[in-house]
Amino acid sequence: MLGILGGVLLAPAVSAASWWTPVRAAPAGLTQVASNSTSPTLAIVNGSAGWLWVGTGRYRSAGVSRATAVAASGSSGLVLRTDGQLMKVQLGARPEFLQTLPGRAVGLVIGAGSVAVVATSRGLFEGSLNGGLRPVALDGGPPLALAGAVAPRRALAVASASGIYFLQPGARPTFSRGSPRLGSGAFLAELADGVVLAASGSGLVWGLYRDGWQPAFQLLPEGGLGGVPRITALAAVSGSAAYLATAGFGTLLTPDGGYSWYRAAPAGSAAVLALATSGPVLAQRPSGNVVAVTTAGLYLHRLAALPAPPVYAGRRGLGELAGTAVVTVLAAALVVALVFAWRRHRGRGVFV
């Protein structure tokens, strides 16, 4: 028993990097990938937008240059250029100009019913993917971060200088009481279980839970004079899990809505530039891939259920539980018998 225990203690721990698989054929110069429930999805390569098959790395240009932000829904998508031109793209078709928006790109979202929301440093804009976008009044000032809704009836989250707002299509943004002021470098993510995570430029992560907003996690300094590494992305990857990408620690994973965090970094110490998801990662039974764009290339992490205690139910479950109990009792009895025999043998040796 001691030998078995020693072997377990000395066995090397499973590296989180082994969760990630490099996509060798991915194009060089990849800087951004859009989350999508299907593949391919939109991506930015060397400043141009195109369609990327995340599983194989195959890439096809969409004919839009000077791209700064992309969003995708199925075979349709949006591309915002550095000059403010908003383009609609479809797989296999020519890009279509929609309108020109002021300011620097903050985020793009395509929601249910082809609702499009665009956040720039000059304002928030909402409308149909097939029509024009109109400005949305945001009392807290220009948007700092944008997170899409995880379900058709859920509101998307918008961070501003005065706090976080929630926006339902066609309605005015609603301020979230007690929400943090994130400042520049903010990121938001909505989880399928209702939790909202918000990351600030200082490395402090907040969570919106049933009893309100609470500080959930503080990113520690790298060491030396580097300070707290810059956060580069935040993405929900299942019902209660999310990845936090940094320029120093790679990626950190929380499986429980922000209460605990683990380092799960692809490509060792390579900086992670962006995160995305591919497939139904927020469904009741999540599946698909987490996509990490790093300075060492593109990596995929296929979602799998975390280990959990068995659930016993019904007649079959009761039989399995009874069998487990019998095996446990027999094993304990065997250990007791061996200890008793060893002590008896030792006692005879002493008194003879």
Side-chain angles (χ1 to χ4, degrees):
M1 292 177 66
L2 290 177
I4 295 174
L5 179 60
V8 171
L9 293 177
L10 295 177
V14 176
S15 173
S18 63
W19 299 354
W20 298 89
T21 303
V23 183
R24 304 294 184 187
L30 184 65
T31 57
Q32 191 178 141
V33 176
S35 294
N36 200 347
S37 59
T38 60
S39 184
T41 187
L42 280 174
I44 298 178
V45 177
N46 293 321
S48 297
W51 294 96
L52 175 71
W53 283 258
V54 295
T56 62
R58 178 189 171 196
Y59 177 78
R60 180 193 298 178
S61 174
V64 181
S65 60
R66 300 173 61 186
T68 184
V70 290
S73 177
S75 59
S76 301
L78 290 175
V79 181
L80 186 60
R81 291 166 38 108
T82 54
D83 58 3
Q85 290 188 7
L86 184 65
M87 311 294 294
K88 177 185 176 182
V89 295
Q90 287 186 305
L91 185 62
R94 295 176 61 87
E96 175 187 351
F97 169 75
L98 295 180
Q99 65 188 96
T100 300
L101 300 175
R104 172 184 51 83
V106 173
L108 304 180
V109 167
I110 301 176
S114 298
V115 174
V117 179
V118 180
T120 74
S121 58
R122 298 285 296 277
L124 189 65
F125 305 88
E126 178 196 5
S128 172
L129 184 62
N130 302 315
L133 275 65
R134 57 179 178 80
V136 177
L138 194 63
D139 298 336
L144 301 174
L146 179 66
V150 298
R153 296 183 180 180
R154 291 273 295 274
L156 59 82
V158 185
S160 71
S162 64
I164 296 173
Y165 291 77
F166 289 100
L167 175 66
Q168 289 279 7
R172 287 181 58 86
T174 302
F175 181 70
S176 180
R177 301 177 65 178
S179 59
R181 298 182 179 184
L182 302 176
S184 60
F187 289 93
L188 294 172
E190 293 192 36
L191 279 59
D193 62 359
V195 172
V196 177
L197 295 178
S200 67
S202 64
L204 179 60
V205 180
W206 293 74
L208 176 58
Y209 305 106
R210 293 182 179 180
D211 51 352
W213 287 95
Q214 298 178 12
F217 174 70
Q218 173 62 61
L219 192 63
L220 298 178
E222 294 182 74
L225 301 177
V228 175
R230 179 172 55 91
I231 294 176
T232 58
L234 178 63
V237 298
S238 72
S240 59
Y243 270 108
L244 179 72
T246 73
F249 294 129
T251 53
L252 302 174
L253 169 66
T254 175
D256 50 16
Y259 289 102
S260 57
W261 294 81
Y262 309 92
R263 188 178 183 189
S269 59
V272 179
L273 306 176
L275 289 173
T277 57
S278 176
V281 299
L282 298 178
Q284 291 185 350
R285 294 183 177 181
S287 62
N289 292 296
V290 184
V291 184
V293 181
T294 78
T295 53
L298 183 67
Y299 285 79
L300 296 183
H301 166 41
R302 181 169 297 278
L303 293 180
L306 293 174
V311 177
Y312 299 104
R315 181 177 300 177
R316 181 178 178 182
L318 291 176
E320 294 178 354
L321 182 60
T324 302
V326 170
V327 171
T328 303
V329 170
L330 292 177
L334 178 61
V335 171
V336 171
L338 291 174
V339 172
F340 177 77
W342 176 72
R343 292 188 63 183
R344 184 177 180 184
H345 175 74
R346 185 181 179 184
R348 289 179 177 177
V350 171
F351 292 104
V352 169

